[in-house]
Amino acid sequence: MARQNRQKKKSGRDWKSLRQAPTRKPGTRIAWWRRAKIRFHTVALCLAGTCGFAFLVVAVSYFTSNPLEVNLAGPSGTVDVIDFQTNGSLGKAWAVKTLDIPKETRLMDLNLHALKKRIESEGQVSSVILQRRYPHMLRIKVTEHLPILKIYIADPELGKKCLLVSESGVVFEGIGQPEQMVGGLPILFGGKLLKDSEGFLPLKVVSKIKPLLDAARKKYPHIFRDWNRIRYESLEGQDALVGLVRINSPLAKEVIFSTEMDFMTQLERLDYVLNYSNREGWTPLSLVDLPGRKSATVRLSGEMPRTIIGQSQLF
Amino acid sequence: MSRNKIIGAVEIGTSKVLVLVAELVDGKSLNLIGFGRKPSAGIKKGEIIDFKYASRVTHAAIDEAEKSAGVNIDSIYLALSGGHLGGSFNKGSAQVSSHDGRVVEQDTLRAIEDAKSKRLPDKRLYIHHIRNPFLLDKKSVKSPIGMQGEMLEVGFWSVHGDESTIGNYLHVVNGFGLEVDDMIISSICSGEAVVFPATKEMGALVVDIGRGTTDYALFRNGNIIRTGVVCVGGDHLTNDLSMGLRISPKEAEELKKREGSLDAEKLVPGSKAKVMLRGDYTIGDREIPFQSIYKILQARVEELFQIIKSDLGELLDTDDLAGRVVLTGGSSQLTGIDETAARVLGMQVEMGELPNWVDESLRVPGNSTVLGLLRYASNHHNLNAVTSQNSGFLGKLRSIFKPKRLEVA
């Protein structure tokens, strides 16, 4: 290297010793445009690369956490196994009976659409997914309506019957539901139960009392547990927003809630009234009328109504 | 891994700026993909006299070439001409140092070092060192290593130019955002384009007559032994006609292209043959004696070849030079110029033909410099690729296991 340097020094300068500065200010407008174009392309390329990389990261993380279920078609045999999965009380026996698949039917020959319709015709079923698992298995994944209320009907066709009501108002028979659970459900009164060719229509009234039931179940389960009858009374016709909810329980023969007032406030009042009444030995109460402006009205059994003033002027 | 490099060959001439874009595939094959041409401005006799105009036309030509190629150029090879170029023949010698009298690599390096040790005046820069064959005890040898002898000599034809002129050319290209990879003098480029290797072996004088300058290169035994630039070109012929016939330079240029000829057969002694100045018989068009045109052009062209002959002196000894003169460049298209050259130089003359790999539309004498430049660039790139293999860790590792390669010149 030293020899090369010495040789270069001795032999004089060549043109390559001149400093070139191609990144300096462009000499003409054409050069300026060219540089701007190159920079724009570079930035666009970087952005596209970054977006692509980000998409890749998101896609990889998504598919890692939600792996794709790949169904590979293989040899198709007879349906020997039914894999039944549900979130409710329906059982595999019910599914086998409902589907009624003839013996020796090949998995590939199943009409999944028809089978799906058959299962969904049962009111208790919210949705169903049917999958072929080659070579012999039919997988059924059912999502059921879960009951929150029950109703008693006297139908000319069905006779006297107890039906269950889901939180979306769907009325169904309640196949396989444990008796103890059904017995603990409050009975719903009021509201009009309509029927068409496919069965009962959803009860609209449920949507009005559902917030009360949710709040009571979540915040005051000890109170909710005792509710055995719930009645909704519309004040201005069937579809009006404002109505009263009348509830019967062992501690208070009748508790009145109003949909016009916040249910949580009314539940707080009820909790206070019941606690107070228990301490005073007044239970069971005859009536608790909760939606007063600043107070709740309580009527003791066989006495005149009286007003209870809360400690924190809550009422 | 394959790597395609986009190279641009740029000639900034007195009459035009030419740019060729080529794709070098894997350092082996060359694909011509773009072409740009703009009339020149700000250049006179191969030197930049108006930087702004020169930049504008050069950038416009490069831009046009890039657009026609559809890609951006990676590096530029620049052809250089002009009266500022000069050359000197530098000789170096070394005594053969080994005890058995055989030449080793160190001896060649010492001879080269001695030849290149000549310093240049201030403000001059070397452009090329063109090596001539080694002489071992006064006998020409191609590769002296391993041969027996006492004195090893080597000569270099070193081309140098003015620092500020070269700097101006570099800055014009740098202003476009590109770097000049290499700079080659025009005569060497033209030689690459129009002279076959076999002709170079026989000996040939390539004369590229441009608009502002005439570049020449003398080949002997396949080596370039002399190059030069004469500041006489097509512009001088135009100027002479303009002055001699008292017509405008524009009319003179058109007349030269239309009627200009050095064909002696056209000239009968005492002939009163006349040609029209413009040829359109409009007001101002008039008759001009052909003899006048002939004499004016003949005088200037003879002078041009006389200068070249004088510059080359004994080197043009026809006994040593069995080859021929090859004419190229835009102004070489003047009818009968080959006969004048043959008469003055005393050698056989032929018009340079561009290689077949060039598209028909580009195969004109005015493009020989830029085409030769591209050819030089592709060969030069290969050499660079070989030397760059030895750089870096892997390159050094590779070089340990490979026999060393002698690089001279």
Side-chain angles (χ1 to χ4, degrees):
Chain A
M1 179 67 89
R3 192 182 61 202
Q4 281 178 357
N5 287 339
R6 193 172 64 244
Q7 185 176 331
K8 209 166 190 174
K9 201 173 176 183
K10 277 178 97 175
S11 60
R13 294 163 67 214
D14 70 4
W15 73 270
K16 285 182 180 172
S17 65
L18 292 179
R19 187 172 161 268
Q20 294 195 58
T23 53
R24 270 176 44 188
K25 194 180 162 190
T28 56
R29 192 173 291 179
I30 298 167
W32 187 91
W33 272 111
R34 179 184 186 266
R35 194 167 75 166
K37 207 166 67 182
I38 290 171
R39 283 184 180 175
F40 174 77
H41 285 166
T42 309
V43 169
L45 207 66
C46 289
L47 276 176
T50 310
C51 290
F53 181 72
F55 175 77
L56 201 69
V57 168
V58 170
V60 165
S61 65
Y62 176 80
F63 287 118
T64 310
S65 55
N66 304 290
L68 282 175
E69 206 165 319
V70 179
N71 295 316
L72 292 174
S76 173
T78 53
V79 184
D80 294 341
V81 182
I82 290 183
D83 177 28
F84 185 79
Q85 297 169 13
T86 182
N87 65 332
S89 59
L90 293 172
K92 186 177 170 181
W94 168 84
V96 171
K97 191 180 165 193
T98 306
L99 294 174
D100 193 21
I101 299 168
K103 279 188 178 177
E104 304 301 321
T105 304
R106 295 171 67 82
L107 190 62
M108 199 59 206
D109 296 337
L110 288 176
N111 182 345
L112 292 188
H113 183 70
L115 295 178
K116 188 170 186 282
K117 280 256 178 196
R118 208 178 292 172
I119 292 175
E120 283 177 343
S121 67
E122 177 55 55
Q124 192 168 332
V125 176
S126 171
S127 64
V128 63
I129 298 169
L130 292 172
Q131 290 176 331
R132 291 188 181 94
R133 309 293 290 182
Y134 293 94
H136 299 294
M137 186 195 287
L138 175 66
R139 176 171 288 169
I140 306 166
K141 286 181 184 173
V142 170
T143 308
E144 293 181 36
H145 292 295
L146 300 176
I148 58 167
L149 296 165
K150 64 187 173 192
I151 56 172
Y152 285 101
I153 60 162
D155 188 71
E157 292 172 17
L158 298 170
K160 288 185 179 176
K161 204 158 190 180
C162 174
L163 298 175
L164 305 183
V165 182
S166 75
E167 60 179 17
S168 56
V170 175
V171 178
F172 57 93
E173 282 194 41
I175 300 162
Q177 301 287 356
E179 279 185 20
Q180 194 184 352
M181 191 274 286
V182 175
L185 291 173
I187 306 165
L188 175 67
F189 292 92
K192 222 175 199 176
L193 184 61
L194 302 172
K195 196 178 177 184
D196 67 2
S197 58
E198 290 184 1
F200 296 107
L201 296 176
L203 276 168
K204 287 182 180 175
V205 72
V206 176
S207 63
K208 288 168 180 146
I209 59 173
K210 185 176 173 285
L212 171 64
L213 300 178
D214 286 345
R217 199 162 36 201
K218 197 174 173 186
K219 292 281 182 184
Y220 301 98
H222 55 287
I223 295 176
F224 177 74
R225 202 167 46 232
D226 291 338
W227 291 356
N228 47 32
R229 287 166 182 234
I230 298 173
R231 178 189 294 275
Y232 179 79
E233 289 174 4
S234 173
L235 297 180
E236 298 163 0
Q238 185 67 31
D239 296 326
L241 290 172
V242 181
L244 294 178
V245 183
R246 293 177 186 274
I247 290 171
N248 298 130
S249 75
L251 294 173
K253 286 178 184 170
E254 189 171 29
V255 181
I256 301 172
F257 289 88
S258 170
T259 55
E260 207 174 10
M261 193 176 176
D262 177 38
F263 284 130
M264 196 53 83
T265 308
Q266 295 177 77
L267 282 167
E268 281 176 23
R269 286 181 180 184
L270 178 63
D271 187 43
Y272 182 80
V273 167
L274 292 176
N275 285 338
Y276 189 87
S277 303
N278 266 337
R279 281 202 305 274
E280 296 297 324
W282 295 343
T283 50
L285 300 168
S286 175
L287 173 75
V288 182
D289 190 1
L290 295 167
R293 197 176 165 209
K294 287 188 175 175
S295 62
T297 304
V298 176
R299 187 165 68 201
L300 305 182
S301 298
E303 287 186 14
M304 291 295 286
R306 65 173 68 181
T307 300
I308 297 173
I309 306 297
Q311 291 165 325
S312 59
Q313 296 298 314
L314 188 66
F315 306 150
Chain B
M1 194 173 73
S2 73
R3 163 84 176 99
N4 296 354
K5 192 175 182 186
I6 307 296
I7 55 176
V10 179
E11 182 196 6
I12 305 172
T14 309
S15 65
K16 66 202 180 291
V17 178
L18 278 178
V19 181
L20 278 182
V21 182
E23 184 185 28
L24 197 62
V25 183
D26 290 335
K28 289 172 191 164
S29 61
L30 198 67
N31 298 332
L32 264 177
I33 54 172
F35 177 69
R37 178 195 172 115
K38 292 282 172 196
S40 194
I43 314 283
K44 197 173 181 184
K45 295 180 193 284
E47 291 188 27
I48 293 170
I49 55 164
D50 188 324
F51 186 79
K52 198 171 138 188
Y53 278 106
S55 294
R56 200 174 289 171
V57 293
T58 307
H59 295 179
I62 300 175
D63 189 53
E64 186 183 313
E66 279 192 338
K67 277 179 183 161
S68 77
V71 289
N72 287 335
I73 295 170
D74 294 329
S75 63
I76 289 283
Y77 286 79
L78 186 66
L80 198 65
S81 182
H84 68 102
L85 294 176
S88 55
F89 190 75
N90 303 323
K91 262 183 152 181
S93 59
Q95 288 279 350
V96 177
S97 57
S98 64
H99 64 278
D100 59 354
R102 291 188 184 276
V103 178
V104 292
E105 189 189 337
Q106 295 302 321
D107 300 329
T108 61
L109 291 174
R110 276 191 294 117
I112 290 167
E113 193 177 337
D114 187 36
K116 287 185 174 178
S117 65
K118 187 173 179 183
R119 299 207 61 166
L120 284 172
D122 279 350
K123 305 290 179 188
R124 298 290 293 177
L125 295 174
Y126 279 122
I127 298 162
H128 296 290
H129 291 290
I130 304 161
R131 207 201 72 197
N132 282 201
F134 283 99
L135 295 174
L136 187 60
D137 295 339
K138 305 287 180 191
K139 284 179 194 165
S140 176
V141 289
K142 201 163 190 178
S143 176
I145 294 174
M147 294 178 79
Q148 204 157 15
E150 287 179 5
M151 177 65 77
L152 184 68
E153 292 171 285
V154 68
F156 278 89
W157 175 248
S158 299
V159 183
H160 45 81
D162 180 59
E163 184 175 343
S164 62
T165 309
I166 296 168
N168 284 339
Y169 275 105
L170 289 179
H171 292 152
V172 165
V173 177
N174 288 169
F176 194 67
L178 289 169
E179 200 163 326
V180 175
D181 254 25
D182 209 347
M183 200 178 268
I184 302 100
I185 58 169
S186 295
S187 53
I188 296 179
C189 298
S190 302
E192 283 284 330
V194 298
V195 184
F196 294 103
T199 315
K200 286 181 192 171
E201 283 291 333
M202 286 166 65
L205 171 66
V206 181
V207 182
D208 182 342
I209 311 169
R211 188 160 177 176
T213 57
T214 297
D215 300 84
Y216 63 86
L218 183 64
F219 292 84
R220 188 179 284 169
N221 300 323
N223 301 303
I224 301 168
I225 58 166
R226 192 60 49 96
T227 62
V229 182
V230 181
C231 286
V232 175
D235 262 355
H236 293 81
L237 301 176
T238 305
N239 207 35
D240 290 351
L241 284 177
S242 173
M243 300 282 280
L245 302 174
R246 297 179 186 277
I247 55 177
S248 71
K250 194 182 169 192
E251 286 172 330
E253 179 68 22
E254 282 171 10
L255 185 69
K256 181 185 81 177
K257 283 180 181 167
R258 202 178 70 244
E259 303 290 349
S261 172
L262 298 174
D263 190 355
E265 286 179 11
K266 277 189 179 180
L267 196 70
V268 183
S271 166
K272 293 193 178 171
K274 288 185 167 54
V275 294
M276 296 304 289
L277 173 59
R278 290 205 293 265
D280 55 1
Y281 298 98
T282 54
I283 296 169
D285 200 7
R286 61 185 166 93
E287 288 184 333
I288 290 174
F290 176 73
Q291 197 171 12
S292 307
I293 301 172
Y294 174 85
K295 280 185 175 174
I296 291 167
L297 296 179
Q298 183 74 11
R300 184 58 91 169
V301 172
E302 271 189 18
E303 184 201 10
L304 170 66
F305 290 119
Q306 285 291 356
I307 295 170
I308 294 172
K309 190 177 182 182
S310 155
D311 279 358
L312 292 172
E314 289 178 359
L315 291 170
L316 210 59
D317 188 349
T318 47
D319 292 341
D320 287 346
L321 204 65
R324 57 198 67 190
V325 177
V326 182
L327 296 181
T328 188
S331 297
S332 70
Q333 295 173 84
L334 192 67
T335 314
I337 197 168
D338 48 343
E339 288 170 17
T340 309
R343 186 158 41 79
V344 175
L345 297 171
M347 292 170 71
Q348 202 180 340
V349 176
E350 66 179 40
M351 301 307 292
E353 278 186 27
L354 287 163
N356 291 332
W357 55 266
V358 179
D359 187 77
E360 190 71 43
S361 61
L362 295 175
R363 223 181 292 166
V364 290
N367 294 348
S368 60
T369 300
V370 77
L371 286 166
L373 178 61
L374 208 54
R375 196 166 183 171
Y376 179 94
S378 71
N379 297 337
H380 182 74
H381 182 84
N382 288 343
L383 277 177
N384 277 353
V386 171
T387 48
S388 68
Q389 278 178 2
N390 291 337
S391 62
F393 174 73
L394 286 174
K396 279 172 187 159
L397 200 66
R398 200 184 295 120
S399 68
I400 292 171
F401 299 102
K402 273 192 171 180
K404 281 194 179 172
R405 179 172 168 277
L406 177 65
E407 284 174 37
V408 289

